[in-house]
Every structure is written in structure tokens, then in C-alpha cells.
């Protein structure tokens, strides 16, 4: 007989999409059943700031505006969790590769035993070129991964 799986630390990635919000709402439901911590993370893709963009188009103001927007997004998630009757939520705003941060760095740092992510909003061509973050997490994460499909 299998023991029931209990999760203690659930990592949810958000990019502001409807899929990510749905994943977060479902993570709160799982967290309530397990009395787990939910870590909601927004990763600012570092390729956008220096890789492909020239430094003439990149400004500290742009970075600050993006960072401020991300903080508002994360605060909205904390409010949403409270509305859903749960407050064991932490927010993380990081700068780097979403694939690496979500599948390796953050799970190690937060002792994550479940990662929940919304299904990629990419179309087939974009997935072929970029590879979706969720695909990468499934292949490389050190723990269980739950992909939330659009309802």
C-alpha cells in the first residue's frame, strides 16, 4: 500500500499569465491539504537585459519598472492567497534563467518537494526554438512536478 504523499514546500512559478495564476490557485489548495509553504517565484529573464538587447535600449529605469511590476504581481498573489484563506506564502523575485532557477536553484534553496507550473503559453514553433520552461523543469527537477493545464 502506498503512503499518501505529503508536501511541505511547493514552488510555483509566475509570469503573470492566466496559466500561472491557475497553477498558483491549485498550489494553494494542495498546500492547505498538506499544511505546506507555498513559494511563488517570478524570474526576470537575464537574456532580455544585455544578451540580445543592446545597452543603448536597456536602461536602469526599464529594469526598475519591470522589477516594480513584478513586485506588484507577487503582492497580488499574496493577497489572492489570503482571499483563499491561506497565508503560508513566500515570494521570490530573482534575476536569471527561469529554466535553471525553477528546476535547480530555487528547489535547493527552499527544499521544494513539489513544483507546480502552468502549461506553457508558447505555440509549437516557439517551443521548438526556445523550449518551454515547464518542459525543462519536468526533465531536470529534483522533485515531483505538476503541470497545470488550462481549464
Amino acid at each position: 500500500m502506498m503512503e499518501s504523499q505529503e508536501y511541505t514546500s511547493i514552488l510555483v512559478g509566475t509570469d503573470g499569465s492566466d496559466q500561472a495564476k491557475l497553477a498558483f490557485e491549485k498550489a494553494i489548495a494542495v498546500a492547505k491539504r498538506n499544511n505546506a509553504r507555498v513559494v511563488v517565484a517570478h524570474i526576470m529573464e537575464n537574456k532580455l537585459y544585455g544578451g540580445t538587447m543592446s545597452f543603448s535600449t536597456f536602461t536602469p529605469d526599464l529594469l526598475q519598472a519591470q522589477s516594480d511590476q513584478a513586485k506588484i504581481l507577487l503582492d497580488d498573489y499574496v493577497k489572492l492567497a489570503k482571499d483563499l484563506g491561506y497565508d503560508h506564502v513566500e515570494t521570490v523575485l530573482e534575476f536569471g534563467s527561469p529554466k535553471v532557477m525553477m528546476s535547480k536553484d530555487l528547489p535547493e534553496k527552499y527544499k521544494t518537494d513539489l513544483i507546480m507550473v502552468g502549461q506553457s503559453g508558447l505555440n509549437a514553433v516557439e517551443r521548438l526554438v526556445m523550449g518551454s520552461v515547464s518542459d525543462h523543469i519536468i526533465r531536470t527537477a529534483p522533485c515531483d512536478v505538476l503541470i497545470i493545464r488550462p481549464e
Side-chain angles (χ1 to χ4, degrees):
M1 192 162 109
M2 281 197 46
E3 289 181 45
S4 68
Q5 174 66 53
E6 286 205 5
Y7 297 109
T8 58
S9 181
I10 302 169
L11 175 63
V12 184
T14 182
D15 55 6
S17 67
D18 290 344
Q19 291 102 317
K21 185 176 179 193
L22 183 61
F24 179 75
E25 289 169 354
K26 291 197 174 189
I28 294 297
V30 173
K32 281 179 171 179
R33 290 195 297 273
N34 291 270
N35 196 24
R37 159 179 69 174
V38 175
V39 177
V40 59
H42 180 78
I43 316 299
M44 292 174 64
E45 172 68 72
N46 55 7
K47 280 196 209 94
L48 300 175
Y49 308 104
T52 52
M53 269 179 131
S54 71
F55 280 105
S56 59
T57 56
F58 164 69
T59 65
D61 293 346
L62 174 66
L63 181 60
Q64 188 61 53
Q66 296 245 310
S67 178
D68 290 346
Q69 262 183 314
K71 285 178 185 135
I72 291 166
L73 175 69
L74 291 169
D75 287 346
D76 287 345
Y77 274 97
V78 171
K79 286 186 196 104
L80 175 59
K82 280 190 170 63
D83 291 344
L84 295 169
Y86 205 72
D87 60 7
H88 198 32
V89 175
E90 292 178 35
T91 61
V92 177
L93 177 56
E94 288 281 358
F95 197 71
S97 160
K99 289 179 181 180
V100 175
M101 298 298 286
M102 287 297 298
S103 64
K104 184 178 183 309
D105 299 353
L106 295 179
E108 282 174 15
K109 183 175 180 181
Y110 292 95
K111 297 179 180 31
T112 301
D113 44 24
L114 176 63
I115 300 172
M116 292 177 71
V117 287
Q119 189 175 24
S120 160
L122 301 176
N123 67 36
V125 174
E126 289 169 326
R127 261 198 313 277
L128 195 65
V129 175
M130 296 165 52
S132 81
V133 173
S134 53
D135 289 345
H136 183 81
I137 293 169
I138 291 166
R139 286 195 311 274
T140 61
C143 60
D144 289 352
V145 177
L146 186 57
I147 303 296
I148 308 303
R149 298 193 181 284
E151 290 183 327

